[in-house]
Amino acid sequence: MAKDNGPSQVDIERASELREQVAYHLHRYHVLDSPEIADTEFDVLFDELVALEQAHPTLRTATSPTQRVGAPPLSQFEKVQHVRPMLSLDKATTRDELEQWMRRCRNRLGDAEITFSCEPKIDGVAVALVFEHGELTLAATRGDGKEGENILANVRTIGAIPLTLETSTPGAIKVPSMVEVRGEIYMPVKRFEAFNAQALARGDKPMVNPRNGAAGSLRQLDSKITANRPLTMYCYSLGGVKGEWQPKTQDEVLRVFAGWGLRTNPALEVVDNLDDCLGYIDRLEARRDTLDYEIDGVVIKVNDLRQQQRLGSVTRKPRWAIAYKFAAQEATSVVEDVDFQVGRTGAITPVARLQPTFVGGVTVTNATLHNMDEIARMDLHVGDRVMIRRAGDVIPQIAGVISGQRPADARRIDLPKGCPSCGSSILRQGEEVVVRCSATRDFCPAQRKEGLKHFVSKLALDVDGLGDKLIDQLVDGGLVANSADLFALTHQQLAALERMGAKSADKLLAALEAAKQTTLPRFIYALGIREVGEATAAALAHHFGDIEPLYHADAEALEAVSDVGPIVAQSIVEFFTQSDQRKLVLTLRQAGVHWPSIDVVSMEDLPLGGQTWVLTGTLDALSRTAAKQKLIELGAKVAGSVSAKTTVLVAGPGAGGKLEKAQSLGIDILTEAEFIALLTQYTN
């Protein structure tokens, strides 16, 4: 093989020319969506550049278009600080809320004339890109708003994102020495669908939806995987700048971005009043299903950047911007039947069985109907075609009946004449919309079973190995009537049950014995008092210190407890007024159920008092249940979904939609390791 003496001047000039041509055509294809040459012609240019760089590695620059194929896998993402915080947005869903926001802006700015920029709110992943002297040097996720993860290796693989900024139009602003560009990385709908079709053809698992697909693609430690994902980006704001350019308005920022080769959404409009803003919202929502990207609303900003500075921000949210949120994603389905389920408190809940329907990334087969009043309000019949909505993109709901499509054999939905489980009469108490079985747990098998399942659940006494089917066997066989009976079970009784045997009986008896050692908050929660969840049980335990003061307390004393209002207080009083409940507590204590003493203290005074935490993803060092219990013991409330009220999100591997929402809201996010360290700090 001949020795390579380095590239000739001709090679150097040709490589430079090819880089420029390839970059130009990539920009035409990915950013302008207006290619000038066929794919085969582009491939000839690209392949020639690859061949030159392979023959002469010194010609290969960091910003060469050939470097978008991905870098060696990372072990983890490094943390980076944002030039300035990436704030989340307050939201509006009605004309009145939007009008109030505009009025607040005008009041703070006095008599100044205000215009507003309106842009589609892309449902993707927010990122910040830093260009130094025109070269892309950093790409970061939102993270906690102040600090994100460096995903530069992954972002470099996205064709729509230039590796260098250039002044591509006459008279364009010169690229400054440093500029931070912010925007949304997403998957176009058509490319997402094509990717999933190819994945299914290969026998691979498809992505759930474009948003999750984009988030998962950007969190790949191997950027070669990201390079094969159909990602693109719209740039929507300026994070920071060093240089002579000092833009005056939001629309100027986007015009300059476009002049540098960055991709911006052409749907931007500037308006000067509420009606024009609402007109833009209506037009965009009408086009929502025709767009090749998913949106969940409109972002409205005060257009003048100096006015934005004057308005400032509050609690991680700018006063100068708001997100107008569209209605939750919807689809249609057919009600095939309605079942009535009996809970541990006797509440009877109608549940619609639906024709399987794909809504917002999941297949929905049933939806709660809440109560009979809701059914009457909608005039719902079995057989109706209905609109399904995933409220908050989580809980399936029937939004309404589609009029004019009721079949001739549609059936009216009537409340059962008696409890579906025991046949007892059904009652509605006071002004409650919920109807309940009139029988107690002693008589109603469904209540008894659900009460026992609650008693042995993870957050209650946590009896390992005592599952739903076994509880059904014990109740149906007449071996257990209440929770105290569990501790009277014998080896002979258990071993005789179907699919049990001697070893399984021994394990269950050992688990029951271990469960006798519990905590007062767990015991109170295990009793299954209506309206008393884990957080309220913990508050009651810390306030009263033991079970006897609790069941002697009247409503006034109970309402002195944090997190306890009149309804909860009345529910507790009614529970302990029943002699059989006090007798059950005594029997459980006599059976050996016990707990260590607990300090009498307000929950607000505990280390995490007043905070709301959410857990998501996989937790390796600590189970989800154990983590939740420790948080409650420290005074926190643990919620199942992320909202503006969330204080902290703990995100383990595999975190998805909750992590994205927390990032969009600017909520503090901890890894599992950081979470464990925090727990250790408080428990040592």
Side-chain angles (χ1 to χ4, degrees), residues 186 196 238 357 450 521:
Y186 68 95
N196 269 357
L238 177 68
T357 305
E450 293 303 316

Side-chain angles (χ1 to χ4, degrees), residues 486-499:
L486 292 170
F487 299 103
L489 289 168
T490 66
H491 182 277
Q492 183 179 3
Q493 289 173 322
L494 291 173
L497 293 174
E498 185 180 354
R499 292 191 297 274

Side-chain angles (χ1 to χ4, degrees), residues 291-303:
L291 299 172
D292 195 31
Y293 47 87
E294 291 196 332
I295 59 174
D296 55 6
V298 174
V299 176
I300 301 139
K301 303 173 184 175
V302 170
N303 194 42

